[in-house]
């Protein structure tokens, strides 16, 4: 019985300087700890065959499946604002691409599969903790309906990796509509290799934005499309309280998926200045800064594309600036519409913005739990008792005043309470991957080889919008002693 991957590789057909052919490094004793069966089916893979010693070998990089063409992709990037001309897949290897059941091309990549020519001083490996974190958060994002890379499998390698301490090693199989980043464009632009920038842009248009090819200015259309996707993506992040944590240009997907779950976190108490990442000393990637940073990253992409947009440089710059100028409007529209939906407003009325701003202001002041506040308001829309939400505010005075305004505002709309509650529950999750829960899962796995908490958390997060009374404890914010104050990069 062999595991069949229906590979159809396109990136490996691009010019030689786009990547390096490199095989994963074998490991000692691979053990499959998680297989995402529904995702396997979506990709045209047989989950029963993958769930086998041979499958574990493949997912650990021991054995190369037929049709794979393993490569490490080259890219550059701005890290915390500093340009690094040579990054690339230092601990990831793209096995190849498959066309999924919906006709979408998907990358299948092993992360933590050994060194590559782009590893610099790194060991090319991943520790179990960050692999579990990425698995949990990426799948939770998918269940929340937010564009994201996916996790197909996690394998323990049977080896240790040296970080601050010795930790169990693991490999994550990551699936993406592509792994092309803003930093991929920067890699070639920084080398003044215009032919390569053009070949990459043509590849991205064909793969992600085929409609751009039919416009008068395909490369401008490409830029506009990436801007739209990123604007909408970041709005979606804010609407669930997600903090990416390391929005470097090499972690910014041109396909508009959330990628690279390192020091990411969902916030508990609402605070626009919230930062979790231990390396983000200045708050560059704070929750509320994310739209600004996305635009900064997109400006770096625009710089790469300017020479392609028009032979007339002034005209090209004007076009690129106009495209970047649309970011704020796009973001604002998506964010405002999302907030209105979170508050159960079926129409837009003058004064809504101010009302929403006042709620967020009160939440910030009282550090009210972001997720519970909106989920609680959904219940209030269905005429539940107000106490559950009031209790989230240390001093509920401002909330009480606000609540009366909101209740008056929704009463002026024709929808009945049950309709509004259902609509609100469909956009306000009860369950998010809270940091302290992820931490507990990692501890159980690393210290006790116990993956039951991991499975249970995944099962709860697969249905974030459903009340799951048996698992109500997963909806709760951390107790003071459970609070996770900092998160760390997965390196
Ligand atoms: P990240 O912070 O995960 O976005 O990674 C930034 C860069 O460092 C990328 O080029 C990674 O491939 C590389 N990198 C991160 N961790 C390792 C590692 N353990 N070994 C080799 N390269 C790594
Ligand atoms: Mg990265």
């Amino acid at each position: 019985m062999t595991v069949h991957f229906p590979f159809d590789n396109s990136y490996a057909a691009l010019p030689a300087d786009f990547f390096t052919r490199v095989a994963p490094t074998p490991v000692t004793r691979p053990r499959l700890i998680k297989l995402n069966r529904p995702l396997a089916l979506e990709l045209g893979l047989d989950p029963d065959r993958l769930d086998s010693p041979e499958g574990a070998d493949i997912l650990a990089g021991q054995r190369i499946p037929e049709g794979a063409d393993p490569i490490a992709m080259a890219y550059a990037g701005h890290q915390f604002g500093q340009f690094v001309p040579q990054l690339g897949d230092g601990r990831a290897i793209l096995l190849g691409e498959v066309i999924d059941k919906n006709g979408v091309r998907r990358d299948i990549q092993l992360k933590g599969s050994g060194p590559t020519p782009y590893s610099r001083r790194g060991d090319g490996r991943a520790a179990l903790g960050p692999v579990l974190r990425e698995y949990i958060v990426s799948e939770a994002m998918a269940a929340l309906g937010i564009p994201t890379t996916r996790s197909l499998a996690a394998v323990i390698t049977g080896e240790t990796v040296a970080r601050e301490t010795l930790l169990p090693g693991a490999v994550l199989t990551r699936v993406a509509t592509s792994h092309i980043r803003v930093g991929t464009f920067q890699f070639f632009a920084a080398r003044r290799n215009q032919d390569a920038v053009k070949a990459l842009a043509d590849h991205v248009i064909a793969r992600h934005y085929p409609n751009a090819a039919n416009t008068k200015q395909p490369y401008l259309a490409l830029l506009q499309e990436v801007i739209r996707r990123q604007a909408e993506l970041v709005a979606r992040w804010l609407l669930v309280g997600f903090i990416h944590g390391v929005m470097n240009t090499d972690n910014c997907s041109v396909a508009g998926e959330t990628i690279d779950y390192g020091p990411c976190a969902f916030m508990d108490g609402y605070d626009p200045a919230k930062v979790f990442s231990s390396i983000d000393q200045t708050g560059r990637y704070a929750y509320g800064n994310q739209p600004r940073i996305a635009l900064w990253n997109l400006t770096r992409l625009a710089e790469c594309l300017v020479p392609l947009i028009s032979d007339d440089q002034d005209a090209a710059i004007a076009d690129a600036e106009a495209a970047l100028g649309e970011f704020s409007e796009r973001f604002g529209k998506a964010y405002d519409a999302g907030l209105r939906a979170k508050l159960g407003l079926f129409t837009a009325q003058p004064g809504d913005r101010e009302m929403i701003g006042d709620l967020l202001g009160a939440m910030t002041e009282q550090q009210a739990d972001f997720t519970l506040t909106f989920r609680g308001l959904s219940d209030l829309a269905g005429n539940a008792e107000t106490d559950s939400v009031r209790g989230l505010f240390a001093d509920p005075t401002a909330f009480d005043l606000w609540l009366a305004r909101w209740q008056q505002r929704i009463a002026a709309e024709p929808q009945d309470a049950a309709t509004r509650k259902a609509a609100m529950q469909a956009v306000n999750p009860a369950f998010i991957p809270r940091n302290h829960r992820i931490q507990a899962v990692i501890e159980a796995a690393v210290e006790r080889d116990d993956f039951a908490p991991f499975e249970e958390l995944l099962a709860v997060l697969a249905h974030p919008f459903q009340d799951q009374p048996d698992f109500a404890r997963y909806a709760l914010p951390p107790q003071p002693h459970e609070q996770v104050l900092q998160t760390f990069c997965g390196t």
Side-chain angles (χ1 to χ4, degrees), residues 75 79 87-92 111 118-126 163 181 246 248 250-251 260 489-491:
Y75 55 83
Q79 301 192 310
L87 291 166
D89 290 333
R91 54 165 164 172
K111 188 170 170 185
Y118 311 115
S119 295
R120 295 174 294 161
R121 281 178 299 281
D123 60 3
R125 290 298 180 190
R163 297 294 181 259
R181 307 138 190 274
V246 58
N248 295 332
D250 51 301
N251 294 336
D260 265 358
C489 271
T491 46

Side-chain angles (χ1 to χ4, degrees), residues 270-291:
Y270 182 70
D271 176 6
K274 189 73 194 165
V275 175
F276 283 98
S277 170
S278 61
I279 54 169
D280 191 1
Q281 305 274 332
T282 61
R284 180 180 169 89
Y285 300 140
Y287 171 82
N289 252 357
Q290 296 182 114

Side-chain angles (χ1 to χ4, degrees), residues 309-325:
I309 289 175
S310 166
D311 292 334
D312 174 346
Q313 198 190 357
D314 291 340
I317 290 173
D319 285 342
E321 281 177 347
L324 291 165

